[in-house]
Amino acid sequence: MRVLFLGVITAALSCAACSTVNEPEPAARTGFMASLPAMPSLPTIHMPNVNLADLHLPGTNRQAPQVDPDLEAVVYWRVIDDDILVVHADTHGCTVRSDFTVDVEQYDGDIYTVRLTRNEPDRCSQNLPWGVQLGFGFEELGVPNGGSIIVLNPIDQRAWDWNEPGRTAQTQR
């Protein structure tokens, strides 16, 4: 009997709480929310600005390798077939591989950094805007198969105009 009485009371209260009889539609939707006390205002929190470069990954104390502005700029560099580093060095016609000292350091795991330092200045006078390609095998650099290389020499900032006459050649049949 007691359970039945509680069930009837619960059903009556539920119907009364949800009933919209004799109430305008907007009041029925906001009546319950209007009866709640106002929420306290939150204190103003001034969060510091955080740069992504300031963040560290858990378990590491390293930041990304930085370009060394004291080194000679290279025109371009790339890796071919995952085992040959090709550097386009600025030249006036007399630059060869032996003109550079190559320093390789293991950065992290299979990532290595490379610094190219010119031993002697190029004293020739030819106009070679694309520089000269210098190839270095990973094996001679001490980089294992599957390793990655990051050249720390800055990239030359000269403006290349790809549409300049003489810069590109079209072939005809």
Side-chain angles (χ1 to χ4, degrees), residues 58-88:
T60 66
N61 291 325
R62 293 189 173 258
Q63 292 188 352
Q66 300 295 315
V67 171
D68 187 349
D70 296 333
L71 295 173
E72 177 181 336
V74 296
V75 177
Y76 182 73
W77 67 271
R78 67 184 185 279
V79 175
I80 298 176
D81 294 332
D82 295 332
D83 65 348
I84 300 171
L85 170 65
V86 177
V87 177
H88 292 249

Side-chain angles (χ1 to χ4, degrees), residues 2-26:
R2 187 181 235 182
V3 174
L4 179 62
F5 178 71
L6 288 177
V8 170
I9 297 282
T10 305
L13 287 175
S14 298
C15 289
C18 296
S19 175
T20 58
V21 176
N22 297 331
E23 290 185 26
E25 186 68 24

Side-chain angles (χ1 to χ4, degrees), residues 27-101:
R29 292 184 182 168
T30 60
F32 178 72
M33 297 302 286
S35 66
L36 291 177
M39 294 290 292
S41 62
L42 295 175
T44 303
I45 300 174
H46 296 286
M47 298 295 291
N49 290 335
V50 178
N51 294 326
L52 290 178
D54 297 335
L55 299 177
H56 296 280
L57 294 176
T60 66
N61 291 325
R62 293 189 173 258
Q63 292 188 352
Q66 300 295 315
V67 171
D68 187 349
D70 296 333
L71 295 173
E72 177 181 336
V74 296
V75 177
Y76 182 73
W77 67 271
R78 67 184 185 279
V79 175
I80 298 176
D81 294 332
D82 295 332
D83 65 348
I84 300 171
L85 170 65
V86 177
V87 177
H88 292 249
D90 199 17
T91 184
H92 296 287
C94 297
T95 300
V96 293
R97 274 177 37 136
S98 61
D99 291 340
F100 287 91
T101 300

Side-chain angles (χ1 to χ4, degrees), residues 134-146:
L134 307 173
F136 302 93
F138 277 26
E139 186 175 312
E140 70 179 302
L141 296 174
V143 177
N145 287 342

Side-chain angles (χ1 to χ4, degrees), residues 154-169:
I155 301 295
D156 191 327
Q157 295 300 316
R158 64 182 97 182
W160 296 107
D161 185 1
W162 295 99
N163 298 320
E164 181 180 318
R167 181 77 65 192
T168 58

